Amino acid sequence: MTYTIKKGDTLTSIAKKHNTTVDALASANNIKNKNLIYAGNTLEIPDGSSGGGAVSGSSGVWNTVYEGASNGKDSGYRQSNDVQDAHKELENWQDRRPGAYDSAYSDQLDALISAATGRAFSYDPLRDPLYRSYRDSYRQGGRLAMQDAMGMAASLTGGMGNSYAQSVGQQAYGAYMQDLAQVIPELYEAAYGRFIDEGDQLEDQIQLLSSLDDAQWDRYNDMLENYLEEGSFLLDKYETLSDADYERFLDYMELLRASV
């Protein structure tokens, strides 16, 4: 047998309605928090329970009517104002149920973690702006050195260009290019240092956002704990008032029967 939870129901009220116990309902439905159930969910009623008994509900626990008899005529019990007020407090509490946890930092954390774990170092001088600046400067210096060397070689031969002058010029240019090649290891080390620094910055950002996310999670858990404690208090208050109110009704009914 199944039962669909109505707004305002409690495990206690459902157990009373079906002649079973709260523990039996919780066990049959794997309910860990007996003070927290949700309207619209379906409960399995343990075997041996029934819908009969002294309590009959017209529209859930909040509108429960207890049927009795007085002098041969039907009479009914309705909750007192105090019980109805306690029910309203509990109902308002249920309406304030917190939503699921939503981190304000999860998207940023995911992006940073993805960036950090996807990093790999490689160095291509041609893509290094600093290398290109060195290259242009060395090329310019090499061309000037080549022109000077060729000019000097030509002056030694009476101003006539020859293969010797070209060879001397090429040697001067090549010397500059060799100097440029010696700069690459330094640029590699500088690029690797920047790579390490960027990784450290990503790690710092991840740690910062993680601490902020942890703090937000702790605040959410504190709020949820306070909410559940309030619900437990309001539920106890309602059940205590309801039970006492119904007991007074039963006592009154006994008095009426005794007077017949």
Side-chain angles (χ1 to χ4, degrees):
M1 176 180 177
T2 60
Y3 175 79
T4 301
I5 300 172
K6 300 179 179 63
K7 188 174 183 180
D9 276 349
T10 66
L11 280 186
T12 300
S13 67
I14 296 171
K16 286 180 180 179
K17 185 181 296 185
H18 294 92
N19 289 338
T20 186
T21 65
V22 170
D23 288 340
L25 279 175
S27 177
N29 294 276
N30 194 28
I31 296 175
K32 300 189 183 307
N33 187 344
K34 299 173 185 176
N35 296 324
L36 192 60
I37 58 176
Y38 299 106
N41 288 356
T42 300
L43 293 179
E44 290 291 334
I45 306 300
D47 292 340
S49 304
S50 68
V55 183
S56 62
S58 60
S59 59
V61 68
W62 310 127
N63 298 315
T64 299
V65 177
Y66 298 86
E67 298 298 339
S70 174
N71 296 326
K73 295 182 180 180
D74 291 338
S75 66
Y77 161 74
R78 292 191 178 276
Q79 295 170 334
S80 67
N81 289 337
D82 287 342
V83 176
Q84 292 180 19
D85 289 342
H87 142 248
K88 189 63 178 177
E89 287 181 312
L90 189 57
E91 190 177 51
N92 290 338
W93 169 82
Q94 289 181 311
D95 289 340
R96 299 195 310 272
R97 183 176 68 194
Y101 176 71
D102 183 17
S103 170
Y105 307 98
S106 61
D107 290 343
Q108 298 176 65
L109 275 170
D110 289 344
L112 287 173
I113 292 172
S114 177
T117 56
R119 300 176 75 238
F121 178 73
S122 64
Y123 181 72
D124 181 357
L126 296 180
R127 294 186 178 183
D128 185 353
L130 186 57
Y131 170 79
R132 292 198 297 268
S133 176
Y134 272 103
R135 181 194 61 189
D136 294 343
S137 176
Y138 273 77
R139 282 179 174 175
Q140 180 66 22
R143 283 192 289 268
L144 292 175
M146 180 176 65
Q147 291 173 2
D148 289 343
M150 291 179 66
M152 292 179 62
S155 67
L156 294 176
T157 59
M160 300 293 294
N162 52 40
S163 59
Y164 171 73
Q166 292 179 356
S167 176
V168 170
Q170 288 294 335
Q171 289 178 2
Y173 184 82
Y176 267 79
M177 293 301 98
Q178 288 178 0
D179 290 342
L180 174 61
Q182 293 176 0
V183 172
I184 291 179
E186 298 178 7
L187 297 180
Y188 176 94
E189 291 296 330
Y192 185 72
R194 291 194 299 273
F195 175 81
I196 295 299
D197 291 342
E198 290 170 357
D200 291 341
Q201 291 176 4
L202 283 173
E203 184 176 349
D204 290 342
Q205 292 175 19
I206 290 172
Q207 290 179 351
L208 174 61
L209 288 180
S210 293
S211 64
L212 293 174
D213 188 57
D214 289 343
Q216 184 188 22
W217 172 252
D218 289 340
R219 288 194 298 271
Y220 174 83
N221 275 331
D222 290 342
M223 179 269 294
L224 188 61
E225 183 177 348
N226 291 335
Y227 172 79
L228 294 176
E229 287 179 356
E230 180 189 6
S232 179
F233 169 79
L234 293 175
L235 179 63
D236 288 343
K237 176 183 176 181
Y238 168 77
E239 290 183 338
T240 299
L241 289 174
S242 179
D243 291 345
D245 197 49
Y246 184 57
E247 287 297 326
R248 285 193 294 271
F249 167 75
L250 294 179
D251 291 343
Y252 174 71
M253 294 299 294
E254 287 296 326
L255 290 175
L256 287 181
R257 293 191 186 96
S259 66
V260 175

